[in-house]
Amino acid sequence: MSVTLSLEDYNQLNFEEIRNKADGNCFFESLSYLEVQNAKFHNMYRDRICNFLKGYKMATTIDLEDEVGQLLHEGNYKNLQANKEGLKKLLAYHLKQNDDNIDEGCKDKVWAGDIHVIAACLLFNVNITLYILMNNSYTLDMFEVDPSRPTYNLKYYDPYHYEALIPAPVYTPPSPGDVTGDLMQFNGPVFASDKLRITRNKKDSKNKTK
């Protein structure tokens, strides 16, 4: 199922968008922030994902061209993004078809693509949902390893730019005597297993063209 949100619907989710520079490191900065609440480790996360991709390509011997290629041709490849085994097949297929993408993507300030998103899911055992802004609405692109695992939410727009999304702080009215004057209390953002997620209908996935 292709999920589309209006701007109003998106705003109702009350995400805080973690801004960063559109310099090619944005996906890895966002991943670093979602993992350890600090974007400065983006080079480490790029290296880990690149090493994972290189090892995965060397270890993959199954020819998936017919199986995955047919799904791509039919426009049903999103079904492969609904579980870990499907993501493994999709990644193996992409790596076979695009040998140059690994080395190029390991360079500083080079934009991340689907192979890096899928690799992050498999390496860190998390689901990733991209909120893709296009034509004044959002389309959700979901990469899922397991519904029970945490979901990392990212905004994707303008093209190739990623920003981490976290639940915005929520104002909690203090009880009398807990504060002095006009001091207000806020609950901070929640990470990891407490992240907001939207679950796809596994039986009804449709293709989305980026």
Side-chain angles (χ1 to χ4, degrees), residues 27 77-78 80-84 86-87 90-91 94 113-122 125-132 140-147 149-152 154 156 162 197-198 200 202 208 210:
F27 173 75
Y77 74 98
K78 289 300 178 186
L80 294 170
Q81 294 180 194
N83 56 70
K84 182 179 288 188
L87 288 175
L90 189 57
L91 181 59
H94 282 318
D114 277 359
I115 63 170
H116 304 97
V117 176
I118 297 171
C121 290
L122 296 175
N125 198 25
V126 296
N127 309 302
I128 291 180
T129 296
L130 302 180
Y131 288 77
I132 302 171
L140 274 61
D141 196 6
M142 303 176 190
F143 300 80
E144 295 190 325
V145 293
D146 187 326
R149 296 297 301 159
T151 293
Y152 288 170
L154 295 96
Y156 179 80
Y162 299 86
R197 59 175 284 105
I198 296 179
R200 72 162 79 231
K202 303 282 194 312
K208 173 189 67 61
K210 290 185 181 178

Side-chain angles (χ1 to χ4, degrees), residues 49-60 95 102:
I49 287 177
C50 285
N51 290 334
F52 174 84
L53 288 171
K54 291 175 182 178
Y56 194 83
K57 181 176 175 57
M58 291 179 62
T60 301
L95 292 178
I102 299 179

Side-chain angles (χ1 to χ4, degrees), residues 16-20 25-46 124 152-154 162-169 188-192 195:
E16 179 181 353
E17 300 171 352
I18 307 302
R19 303 294 187 184
N20 55 29
N25 288 327
C26 53
F27 173 75
F28 302 100
E29 288 184 359
S30 298
L31 182 62
S32 176
Y33 189 91
L34 291 168
E35 280 277 306
V36 296
Q37 292 81 66
N38 195 318
K40 71 179 182 180
F41 302 107
H42 60 90
N43 285 328
M44 181 189 74
Y45 282 96
R46 185 189 288 270
F124 301 109
Y152 288 170
N153 299 299
L154 295 96
Y162 299 86
E163 291 177 350
L165 299 173
I166 63 173
V190 182
F191 294 90
K195 285 184 173 297

